[in-house]
Amino acid sequence: MRKDKVLQIVEEFSTQYKLKDIQRGVNGITSYEIANIMHIARNNTSSDLNELWKEGEIIKITGNKKFEFFSQRVFSALTGIKLGVASTCESLSSLTKKSVAFNKLDDPFENLIGAHESLKNAIISAKASVLYPGGTLHTLLLGESGVGKSLFARTMYQFGVNEHVYKDTAKFVVFNCADYANNVELLLSQLFGSVKGAYTGAEQTREGLISRADGGVLFLDEVHRLPPEGQEMLFYLIDTGKYRMLGESGVEHQANVSLIMATTENPDNHLLTTFMRRIPMVINIPNLEKKSVEEKKELIMYLYNMEAIATQMAIHIDRDTLLSLIFYNPPGNIGQLKNDVRLSVARSYLEQKKDTLTELNVHLYSLSQMVQSNFDKIDSKTKETYIHQIVKDTLYVPPYPYLYHEIDSFFPTAANERKQIDIKSQFETYVQQILMSLDDSTHSSFIIDDDIQSIMSFVREWILYHMNFLLERSQNASFAFYLKSIRDHSENNLNFILDENSEEMVELSRNLVREIECRFHFQIPENQIKTIASILDTFKNHKPQNSKMKMLVLAHGDSLASNIANVVNELLNGSFLTPINMPLSRDVNDVINEVIDNINKEPEDCDIILFVDMGSLANMEKILSEKISQKVFVIPTVNTLVLLESVRKVTYLNYTTEAILNDIIRISQKMNHNLEHQIKGYIEQYTERIIYTICRSGEGTARYLETYLKQIFEKNNIFDIDIVSLSYDSPQKIKKIIRETSKNKDVLCIIGNVNLDTNEYPFISLEDILMRDGVSNVFKLIGHDYLIVNDKMMHAFKRNVFVDVSLESVQKYLLYLDAQKISPIVLEFIEKVEKESNQICENNILIRLVIHICCMIERLLFDEYVASNNDVIDESELMQIIKKNIHIIENAFNIKVSQGECEFIREILQDN
């Protein structure tokens, strides 16, 4: 096969080179060289190379006038860098420069993110401190918790080693002064050493950290916790280079130690003035808020890279997640950001966990609530500015070390800074930009307007006549948008590299431009001629991808399906949606046969989507799957907007079946939300009675009570009572809100954990609801006493509220997990144990179980404390039931629950 021979030539060419050759600038072999070797036409070689590039067999190198190609397998073997399909670069050496393996810099400060931005001044001061001619200057680092003072100090040490200020054998010794702040003698002993008998418990002479750091660096973290006597002993060392061990007299020791200290506090308030005079260099480390947007992005990508390496799974980050983290400025700075990144990976792993999982998808909902809420606080103008710069919905993080300097940049840059990339990638990007702008539009759907239709029709016919091939619809639409943007003087951001034979198309491009200018009455700039030539060349070498998806709409009535299909097809300027009408008198078997006839016209690998309205049509999937070979997806909706969006995205944007199904879910949810909001507005106009639920936060108990009461009311067809949850502020403010929201309504009662101390409205406490007859009192007040006898419903209501209260409580103790998301697994385990042990947990026992098991899962998941096993093995029936069902938790979270942990659960259950 010719393509295999082309690959063999590229492989043979690539294997003659070593890693050093790549680093020195060797690139690849051109299509001309391959064509000469094989004695075939160059355009055939180009076609084969393009297919091999798409398959991930070769790398396309675009830096020179003619494209070059190199074996991806050989490149990975030489460099250890794994690339994806359709990999493009300006040079092979540029790929190695991005890899950590090829960036062992002599200046370790260059490896710090922000070295030339927020840390620039700090680094200048640090280098001056290390390289000071008379010997290194003792340095104090100031900064908030989590800004990276420890890393900065270690980098100063490494810089000193590289510059031969310190010997290679010199040590970097770390001591946190807070560890022994409550025991001054032990703290000083750690620093200076102590002789036998120096203090109670000093049974032998021991060396101090100053002695160990001799010739190197002693890093004192949280130095503000160092007591005054310790500071005095240190500045004696600074002045003389000498120190005494604790309990020693008459003997002094020599030490040449560079001191780097760090504190989060104001040194003027915590360190002796005499001590501060001896610290000539004070460096401020900026917090996260002072870092640039690009710097934060690079930091976030680095943190995800560390998690990808740790989990050995590639990570995909969606743009909302990235933006939310970029504009997130936690009080714990980088340290807290690192925890939030790790938390998002842990949550994503739990939600996507499969035995064959090889990569993770991190979405906005994977982040902690604090980070998610931060995304909502970003003003719309700022959010829009950056969202429109992100062409890709997701960013890829590989599971191997990688530098993120100046790659995948999506933030605003000057036009002359934009890098050129190959025409295929750029034009695909342009299509995605169009798609994104449509998704962000305030219009309910994108319609091909008259201007676009006219340009599309003309271009399709012109290319068919002059170039003898039919242009694919998605490319035709994108090219029409491109031409329209030129006419409207819109910025299209296209700056293509011309392909090897694009110059041959220039004259053809000029002819097309002349006809467009005459027909549509607008001028195309001269500098666009070559760009259009490149686009035409791409069209010529592109193999059309016919959509392997067929859509049909089936609806009851004489012409409903036809009417819907006509609207969709007319708006999209084609015949894309096939209607099948089902008059009420028509037999359903006739309809099924007509559907089968339509499907049989399609190839076997074509997916079929049937939009149906109701009744027997919705149950058609099983019947069809037995009679046809194609995959069939029956969607129970004939909403015109849903059909219009689905057909448009398949026809013009090449959406896959999976993408279309997900898009239908998204549109339907949005429509349902709008419908629900509008109908609720109507219902509220006729609601005459109201109940208020109140709690101190407004986020927890009040909302749970509102949710579960509404469920009971709706299940029992009670729709004339509104329930409103309120956040407690002050009795006066609550009363004011109630007066304003209850006009012309009867306030039945107030329920919650805050008593307003008013006789104006009946009050039922949360304790009454959960522990006594509060629920019965509510039903009596609303006049539905018959509900009181439904013990099962009453028990379920109380249990649900108890569980939610316990989840709200346990969330305060969980650092990484979301209690609400792991609760279904926890409750499944508890219910299984209840059923097999023939008992129902009392509510106080239920709360204890939920809290304990949630905390246990997090402890085991992150390798924290594990309960030890007792010497005596418990073989009771209850213990056997627990051990039998504990696999529910173990399998869900990939943890091992020990005998000791099971015994804790058994002890709680025994109190029931």
Side-chain angles (χ1 to χ4, degrees), residues 475-486:
Q475 290 187 320
N476 192 8
S478 301
F479 189 45
F481 268 102
Y482 168 62
L483 295 173
K484 185 173 181 288
S485 72
I486 295 176

Side-chain angles (χ1 to χ4, degrees), residues 301 304 315-319 321-322 362 393-397:
M301 298 297 282
Y304 273 113
I315 296 175
H316 298 268
I317 313 165
D318 69 26
R319 65 183 181 189
T321 301
L322 185 60
V362 179
D393 286 334
T394 59
L395 282 87
Y396 173 76
V397 182

Side-chain angles (χ1 to χ4, degrees), residues 297-338:
K297 182 224 175 180
E298 188 180 340
L299 177 61
I300 292 162
M301 298 297 282
Y302 169 77
L303 293 175
Y304 273 113
N305 188 213
M306 294 299 98
E307 296 305 315
I309 294 168
T311 59
Q312 280 301 293
M313 283 187 283
I315 296 175
H316 298 268
I317 313 165
D318 69 26
R319 65 183 181 189
D320 285 351
T321 301
L322 185 60
L323 277 177
S324 184
L325 288 169
I326 283 171
F327 290 101
Y328 173 53
N329 297 307
N333 289 286
I334 299 172
Q336 188 170 336
L337 178 65
K338 181 179 180 181

Side-chain angles (χ1 to χ4, degrees), residues 39 67 126 154 258 356 503 509 531 545 583 660 674 681 705 752 783 833:
H39 304 291
F67 287 175
R154 188 175 290 276
S258 296
T356 58
E503 292 293 345
S509 172
T531 299
Q545 296 179 349
I660 282 296
N674 293 338
L705 290 170
V833 172

